[in-house]
Amino acid sequence: MRISRRAVAVAAVLATVLPLSACGGSDDESSDASGAVKGEITFQTWNLQANFKDYFNGVIKDFEKEYPDTKVKWVDRPAEGYADKLSADAAGGTLPDVVNVSPDLVTPLAKAGLALDLDKDKTSSAFSKEYLPGAWKSHQIPGMEGTYGFPWYLNTGPTFYNKRLFSEAGLDPEKPPTTYDQLFEDGLKLAKQSDGKIATLAQVPTVEDFGRYGVQLMNKEGTGFAFNDAKGVEMLTNYKKMFDNKALDPQALTATPESAGTKFLTESVAMNPGSAFDLDNFKKNAPNLYKNIGITDQISSTGKVNMYVMGVMVNAKTKEKPAAVAFAHYVTDATRQMSFAKQVAIFPSTKGSLDDPYFTKEDGTDETRVRIAAAKSLKKAENYTPVLFSEQMKTELRNQVAKALQGKQSPQEALDQAVKACDRLLQQS
């Protein structure tokens, strides 16, 4: 199975904060990974063995050839229950030496003293310059100093738009909105010109939208959420205006990514986020849409799009720290990431990799067209989903946003309630 942008997005928010009983590392426990790279380590991945067995076996073979005194045991866990498995291993003291994690999964492990602080370790901190700044930052946790995982593969996606619908509304089909202010303006025009029959979007705003709008999502200490500030209220107020004027689809309150995609496919909404795989779907199932398809960056008022991040964490209590750090870095270095990116639709997190012709040179195919656009935007992308923002928190935000759009409470009241609920969940974690 290929890894789509949507699959990575789902993976990145799979778990809430893990209920760990493990305690933090002691002060006399060395974080120094210098020394001979030797010994046997265990490497755990997340639902990758079925489709990439040969790739990972090759990486392990090459590593063991470069470091002949090492032995790497590879284990792969299914996506379902992965967070629970990590929790059980952490509590039982059986956490593997090197672990495939997303930023939200590494957070509770770091708090429990089980994730190696790469910034504190002299060997691994030297590797930080090899990665894109936004990617390296993704495994940093508000309220804690340090970086707790090597960034691995990234993903993002463009925004697709319907040029025909833009033209019929009197909008320039070659100049789609790129900021939220432009989106709100164009959306209202499009709805008015179509007598409310054509919406611009089919989904309500998420925490990533608030981030791309420029809203401060958390306080600097990482102890509470802050998206109920004036800028957050401003954004939700504009979304309500869109909703009231049918520029936001009436069914957006209950929409899923799949139902929103169907709305775009049937040309009842003008814009929708997607991935390279969507183009082939448009070509086969919606040829009229396909011939009028436009591709642009994600809407952002910060100049930076959202990235989804996967990482590799080193167990702080591993008995073979030099080997574990060396392997985690090996898996995520530029050579291995570039090789992996050519097998599956992901992007390297290493500096310079996105300048490779594979990500810059057109070959006339739709897949390459989208890949180039995404790679360009990733160079200065950010992971806007706070690492402390759980699935329960996403639900709380969505529910309060829906109440504001329906006029059951003001945007300020809705966001105040959302922040209150998210802060309560944060304190319970």
Side-chain angles (χ1 to χ4, degrees), residues 63-82:
F63 179 79
E64 292 175 343
K65 183 178 180 180
E66 185 168 337
Y67 299 98
D69 293 329
T70 62
K71 182 69 176 178
V72 179
K73 178 184 177 183
W74 176 31
V75 296
D76 187 69
R77 304 297 183 193
E80 186 175 357
Y82 189 76

Side-chain angles (χ1 to χ4, degrees), residues 66-207:
E66 185 168 337
Y67 299 98
D69 293 329
T70 62
K71 182 69 176 178
V72 179
K73 178 184 177 183
W74 176 31
V75 296
D76 187 69
R77 304 297 183 193
E80 186 175 357
Y82 189 76
D84 292 334
K85 176 61 178 172
L86 281 181
S87 178
D89 285 343
T94 57
L95 194 69
D97 303 280
V98 180
V99 188
N100 175 193
V101 291
S102 55
D104 64 311
L105 292 187
V106 82
T107 299
L109 297 172
K111 288 185 174 181
L114 295 175
L116 183 68
D117 180 355
L118 303 181
D119 291 338
K120 183 181 292 185
D121 175 71
K122 295 178 181 179
T123 302
S124 51
S125 63
F127 297 137
S128 63
K129 61 182 180 297
E130 299 178 19
Y131 301 88
L132 295 170
W136 186 261
K137 182 181 176 183
S138 66
H139 287 80
Q140 296 174 354
I141 301 164
M144 294 181 67
E145 292 185 4
T147 302
Y148 295 91
F150 286 98
W152 193 8
Y153 56 85
L154 310 177
N155 226 317
T156 191
T159 297
F160 293 113
Y161 67 100
N162 190 317
K163 290 185 176 182
R164 178 182 66 82
L165 296 180
F166 270 67
S167 294
E168 290 178 355
L171 299 172
D172 188 339
E174 303 304 323
K175 294 182 179 180
T178 58
T179 68
Y180 282 92
D181 287 345
Q182 294 169 352
L183 172 70
F184 299 143
E185 182 180 352
D186 287 356
L188 293 173
K189 288 181 180 177
L190 202 152
K192 183 177 181 180
Q193 290 298 318
S194 65
D195 293 325
K197 295 178 181 179
I198 304 298
T200 298
L201 296 175
Q203 295 186 76
V204 299
T206 63
V207 69

